[in-house]
Amino acid sequence: MSSVAEAQQALAQIHASRAQLVRVAHCPPARHLAFAALEAGIVVSPAAAPYQLLAMIPLVLGMVLVMRWDRRRLGMFINGYRRGRTRLVIAAFLPILLALYGASVYFVFARQEIWPSLMLGAVMFGVATYMSIVWQRVFRSELERSL
């Protein structure tokens, strides 16, 4: 077999793999909600002071379960920080997460108030759900464009 034929065959396999990924890359609503719950948990975690690190254990476990769920559903886990336009979605999301987390820390430790932390967690849940849906749309769009 010539190297040109081998290269064409390899490109055809890549194309077929991407087409298959586009077909299965649609996240069910529960997946978006699971991501949002984990992010909201991060924002609310200061409210568990002085046991904040213990409060992170269910979040880490949840993250592992979401990764396993994705691997079962897709055959792989797709890192949200991957190259491409999805990174722009993350670049817009992370400052929001950090700002809400910082505000939560402020209210719990400086003002000794827990309820604002819970409210900020609710806001984060809504933002994270929306950003998860946007990330998925951008990801699928990138895959479809590469076909």
Side-chain angles (χ1 to χ4, degrees):
M1 187 181 262
S2 72
S3 62
V4 172
E6 289 172 353
Q8 288 175 334
Q9 183 181 12
L11 286 174
Q13 289 174 341
I14 291 171
H15 181 77
S17 293
R18 287 184 176 161
Q20 172 66 18
L21 189 55
V22 168
R23 285 192 294 276
V24 299
H26 180 72
C27 292
R31 172 59 173 83
H32 297 298
L33 297 177
F35 171 76
L38 292 172
E39 299 302 319
I42 291 170
V43 170
V44 171
S45 67
Y51 305 106
Q52 186 177 3
L53 288 178
L54 289 176
M56 297 301 259
I57 292 171
L59 299 176
V60 172
L61 177 61
M63 182 181 66
V64 168
L65 292 174
V66 166
M67 290 172 69
R68 289 179 70 193
W69 182 15
D70 282 352
R71 284 191 178 117
R72 263 195 316 271
R73 191 170 49 82
L74 300 173
M76 69 183 94
F77 175 75
I78 300 168
N79 186 337
Y81 298 100
R82 56 181 289 286
R83 273 187 307 165
R85 292 183 329 139
T86 55
R87 196 174 279 176
L88 296 174
V89 177
I90 296 300
F93 175 69
L94 284 179
I96 297 168
L97 172 64
L98 293 174
L100 292 177
Y101 179 77
S104 181
V105 167
Y106 168 75
F107 281 112
V108 169
F109 293 106
R111 307 253 324 255
Q112 306 293 312
E113 296 177 359
I114 292 177
W115 70 266
S117 184
L118 301 176
M119 297 303 291
L120 291 167
V123 169
M124 183 77 258
F125 185 84
V127 169
T129 301
Y130 174 74
M131 294 303 278
S132 180
I133 292 167
V134 169
W135 189 95
Q136 177 191 295
R137 287 181 184 159
V138 170
F139 176 69
R140 289 185 61 152
S141 170
E142 282 183 336
L143 288 176
E144 289 168 352
R145 215 175 297 133
S146 71
L147 293 178

